[in-house]
Amino acid sequence: MKYLLFTIMIALTSCATAQNVELPAPQTEQKSLSMVETLKTRHSVRDYDKEKSLTLQEISNVCWAANGVSRDAEHRTAPSAMNRQEIRLFVFTEKAVYEYIAPENILEFKAEGDHRRIVAGTSERMQEFVLDAPVSLVMVIDLEKFGMEGEKARMFGCVDAGNVSENINLYCQSVGLATVPRATMDEEAIRALLGLGEKQIPIMNNPIGYAK
Ligand SMILES: Cc1cc2nc3c(=O)[nH]c(=O)nc-3n(C[C@H](O)[C@H](O)[C@H](O)COP(=O)(O)O)c2cc1C
């Protein structure tokens, strides 16, 4: 009986996260610092208040700022080479991992559990502070979406990922959130977790939270 109850509890907890999440509409009229003030003050943060998580509204806002649908259905907040929109954005939380699907404004469920450690780094290079940030956004170049391969395509992918990452940097600074753009992460573990192939390249990540 005890075992049965335990199993039901585990199943219920899994159901709570093992599904897609509908995001609230991004707050595009939100109060924020001016662009010039944001540029003047933007800085990397590596010390996060681990007691302060992000609301779903905040996650929606930051995903939208990163690479959401902008002036019309065909365009994004971040520019991309030939408008191929090949940067995919994965959201690592304390509970699960999702992919942000901009046109639907949802988080598509990818994996159960807290996998922020593989974003923090490898045994050779680990940045523990990442575990204090409630959310990490991981950018993946998808060459299949880009429709081209080779060095040039990879270079465009890197530039486009930089655009997404800088959107996150500037947005966070403008609304009082904290972040740092990072290349460190356990690329192989991320590939394995997300089922990525050779044409998908984890390239950058941004932990996000509140500064301590
Ligand atoms: C491509 C790139 C990779 C980076 N990788 C890391 C990283 O792995 N870990 C880290 O703590 N900071 C990383 N940074 C942040 C830089 O160290 C930081 O932007 C730089 O020191 C300037 O500081 P500022 O952002 O406060 O102006 C990276 C920045 C860029 C642009």
Side-chain angles (χ1 to χ4, degrees):
M1 185 63 181
K2 249 188 189 167
Y3 179 74
L4 182 68
L5 272 176
F6 181 70
T7 314
I8 292 171
M9 272 172 66
I10 293 286
L12 284 175
T13 322
S14 308
C15 283
T17 49
Q19 57 190 16
N20 296 349
V21 176
E22 272 190 44
L23 291 170
Q27 293 172 305
T28 55
E29 307 294 325
Q30 200 180 0
K31 277 222 169 71
S32 58
L33 291 183
S34 75
M35 180 51 79
V36 172
E37 191 67 22
T38 301
L39 289 167
K40 200 169 101 185
T41 55
R42 184 210 58 79
H43 61 286
S44 293
V45 174
R46 297 183 183 82
D47 199 8
Y48 295 86
D49 182 348
K50 65 176 172 199
E51 306 304 326
K52 268 183 115 176
S53 55
L54 295 190
T55 63
L56 207 53
Q57 183 67 63
E58 287 172 316
I59 293 175
S60 171
N61 291 349
V62 76
C63 286
W64 175 81
N67 204 14
V69 173
S70 58
R71 62 192 186 274
D72 59 41
E74 276 73 52
H75 293 91
R76 297 294 185 86
T77 52
S80 60
M82 295 172 280
N83 197 23
R84 293 283 164 90
Q85 304 179 7
E86 80 285 9
I87 305 302
R88 292 167 66 184
L89 194 66
F90 292 90
V91 182
F92 284 63
T93 74
E94 290 147 293
K95 298 243 167 73
V97 181
Y98 304 91
E99 180 170 358
Y100 173 59
I101 309 295
E104 294 168 48
N105 197 38
I106 61 162
L107 297 180
E108 190 177 271
F109 176 78
K110 291 288 165 190
E112 192 78 54
D114 184 355
H115 295 276
R116 290 173 299 164
R117 183 160 284 280
I118 60 177
V119 181
T122 60
S123 49
E124 285 88 53
R125 176 159 166 74
M126 172 60 61
Q127 292 192 297
E128 295 279 345
F129 72 79
V130 174
L131 303 175
D132 294 337
V135 169
S136 273
L137 298 183
V138 175
M139 282 134 269
V140 172
I141 304 168
D142 192 333
L143 293 175
E144 268 173 69
K145 283 193 169 194
F146 195 68
M148 261 168 67
E149 282 175 56
E151 204 197 329
K152 197 89 179 166
R154 282 172 183 258
M155 275 171 55
F156 284 147
C158 291
V159 173
D160 291 344
N163 289 334
V164 173
S165 180
E166 184 66 342
N167 276 8
I168 300 169
N169 298 329
L170 294 175
Y171 173 75
C172 285
Q173 181 61 28
S174 75
V175 297
L177 289 170
T179 192
V180 51
R182 299 175 66 245
T184 305
M185 60 184 136
D186 188 337
E187 194 184 316
E188 285 320 306
I190 289 173
R191 278 178 188 284
L193 179 76
L194 301 176
L196 303 177
E198 284 307 303
K199 293 183 186 166
Q200 286 92 34
I201 309 161
I203 189 79
M204 287 291 292
N205 65 78
N206 278 71
I208 299 164
Y210 282 89
K212 218 194 269 176

